[in-house]
Amino acid sequence: MKFTTNQQDLAPILVHLSRITSNLLPNVQLTASTDTLTLYTSDCSVYMSATIPAVVEEAGTVTMDCKELSALINRLTGKVNYDNGIVKANGSKFKFVPTQAEMPVVPILEETPITVDAKELITQLKKTLIGAAPTFTGNLLSGILLDGQNVVATDGNMMIVNRLSAKLFDEQVILPSKLVDEMTKCFANANSLSIATNGRNITISSDTMTITSTLLEGQYPKYAQLIPQSYTKKAVLNAKELLQHVSLIELAANQKTNICKMAFTPDNLTLSANKDGCEGDTCMDIESTDELNIAFNIAYLLKILKNYDSDVIEFSFDGSLSAGLFKPNESDLALLMPCQIRS
């Protein structure tokens, strides 16, 4: 197999593919055909392929260690030439011994794909991902739910519900967090995406890259029932100013408990925290309907505040032991369980 391609085209693709590989499945398959080079890898749950332009002198297929190839290509510049195991660029020459390993077979979906706005979908997925449980938990809460127009994630302490302008599927679909993370990186600059699912697998494609993944199966918690329809108290906060104050008071928070206390009055919010050897408080002006003392895990609070770029955030609550509702706009929300304050 012989081909020549641009390092600037090949290097970023190998970086994406390298994240998918594992110790058991470390390889990437390169296939050179008419004017194109196709690269493919998989860990048997996520299948990723990409196509870039190439001048092909001799068509063929070869399998190599993905991370080793990626490390080399990232250090090269200009045109990269591959000639039966030898990689050349700008006077440099490296010889690779191809592996003989077989690659996992990609699931084939026969369903008709839909076309979606990539910018909106990727933005909302990225904002929702912070609410998912860690992937090592291995349960449904480690995934992202697509339910009509809603994009949902919860780990039991925090729930994020963001909204799309149009629904994608008639049935609920639960995307693995690993897939969502890769989508936000691989399709960050895409304008539109083609998506198809058969209920067990999903395929997402841009002009140059395709990702296929198995879906999480099971009954996602009835999240809508957890969102209160009304609250007795409400405060309107300057989002950027609140983030500054929370970031400041984090310095005084106990790293084990991570508690940030919030004392609301009709026109003032005081945030406070303490740990051995340090305690602090900071105040800001607000518009509130009532007085309340409540506390939250400051790590979750920072995640929510950093997640949205709105100027104002609306905070609704009923009491110190009920979940607080944060709304940066009319369509998106974050629900956060409070911490119990000891007297």
Side-chain angles (χ1 to χ4, degrees):
M1 184 173 76
K2 300 179 182 180
F3 66 83
T4 301
T5 190
N6 289 319
Q7 186 270 353
Q8 291 181 339
D9 293 333
L10 182 57
I13 296 299
L14 284 169
V15 170
H16 291 316
L17 295 173
S18 294
R19 292 194 301 267
I20 299 298
T21 60
S22 63
N23 291 334
L24 294 176
L25 295 167
N27 300 313
V28 59
Q29 184 181 77
L30 291 80
T31 301
S33 57
T34 307
D35 298 329
T36 60
L37 175 67
T38 300
L39 301 94
Y40 162 67
T41 194
S42 171
D43 65 355
C44 286
S45 64
V46 177
Y47 307 78
M48 183 183 293
S49 64
T51 301
I52 61 174
V55 176
V56 179
E57 298 179 45
E58 184 179 310
T61 298
V62 66
T63 304
M64 307 168 67
D65 185 286
C66 188
K67 290 182 178 178
E68 286 191 1
L69 181 61
S70 178
L72 171 62
I73 299 301
N74 271 285
R75 287 167 172 79
L76 299 177
T77 58
K79 298 287 185 180
V80 175
N81 175 263
Y82 178 87
D83 186 349
N84 293 311
I86 298 176
V87 178
K88 299 179 182 179
N90 285 338
S92 301
K93 181 172 71 173
F94 290 81
K95 185 174 182 179
F96 279 81
V97 178
T99 64
Q100 303 300 318
E102 293 186 3
M103 300 297 291
V105 178
V106 184
I108 297 176
L109 280 66
E110 298 179 352
E111 284 69 20
T112 302
I114 60 173
T115 300
V116 304
D117 182 332
K119 299 296 184 185
E120 180 191 40
L121 178 60
I122 296 304
T123 296
Q124 295 299 66
L125 284 174
K126 189 173 183 178
K127 288 181 178 179
T128 308
L129 186 59
I130 67 161
T135 54
F136 64 78
T137 58
N139 60 29
L140 292 179
L141 297 188
S142 67
I144 308 298
L145 174 69
L146 298 180
D147 180 26
Q149 292 177 251
N150 291 336
V151 186
V152 185
T154 180
D155 64 358
N157 295 302
M158 172 175 64
M159 183 168 70
I160 305 292
V161 182
N162 294 319
R163 195 164 177 83
L164 300 170
S165 58
K167 74 174 183 178
L168 300 184
F169 311 110
D170 293 330
E171 303 294 331
Q172 289 187 347
V173 170
I174 308 174
L175 307 177
S177 290
K178 182 176 182 179
L179 168 63
V180 174
D181 188 43
E182 290 304 324
M183 289 176 64
T184 61
K185 295 171 181 175
C186 295
F187 301 132
N189 297 318
N191 292 317
S192 64
L193 294 173
S194 175
I195 303 179
T197 181
N198 59 10
R200 298 180 304 277
N201 302 293
I202 189 168
T203 294
I204 307 101
S205 300
S206 67
D207 293 336
T208 58
M209 180 168 284
T210 297
I211 304 177
T212 298
S213 172
T214 54
L215 295 170
L216 297 180
E217 297 184 9
Q219 183 63 49
Y220 199 84
K222 296 181 179 180
Y223 68 92
Q225 298 179 359
L226 303 176
I227 304 173
Q229 298 303 306
S230 62
Y231 279 92
T232 58
K233 304 173 179 67
K234 183 174 72 173
V236 178
L237 312 169
N238 181 302
K240 293 180 175 59
E241 185 181 356
L242 178 59
L243 175 58
Q244 291 175 348
H245 283 275
V246 175
S247 298
L248 180 62
I249 209 64
E250 182 188 23
L251 298 173
N254 187 302
Q255 293 184 357
K256 291 183 179 179
T257 60
N258 259 347
I259 291 178
C260 171
K261 298 178 182 179
M262 305 176 73
F264 288 87
T265 66
D267 57 3
N268 185 270
L269 168 62
T270 300
L271 298 97
S272 61
N274 65 82
K275 61 182 178 181
D276 290 342
C278 180
E279 62 180 71
D281 62 74
T282 181
C283 301
M284 61 179 288
D285 295 332
I286 64 169
E287 296 178 22
S288 180
T289 58
D290 214 330
E291 296 186 1
L292 176 73
N293 292 324
I294 195 168
F296 293 106
N297 182 302
I298 199 167
Y300 282 116
L301 197 55
L302 284 170
K303 278 186 177 183
I304 291 172
L305 295 175
K306 291 178 180 179
N307 201 36
Y308 301 103
D309 55 4
S310 59
D311 294 328
V312 173
I313 192 164
E314 182 181 288
F315 174 48
S316 302
F317 46 91
D318 277 328
S320 61
L321 297 181
S322 64
L325 181 70
F326 296 84
K327 295 198 68 173
N329 51 56
E330 289 299 320
S331 58
D332 303 331
L333 64 87
L335 195 68
L336 182 58
M337 292 301 297
C339 301
Q340 187 170 359
I341 304 174
R342 294 181 179 178
S343 301

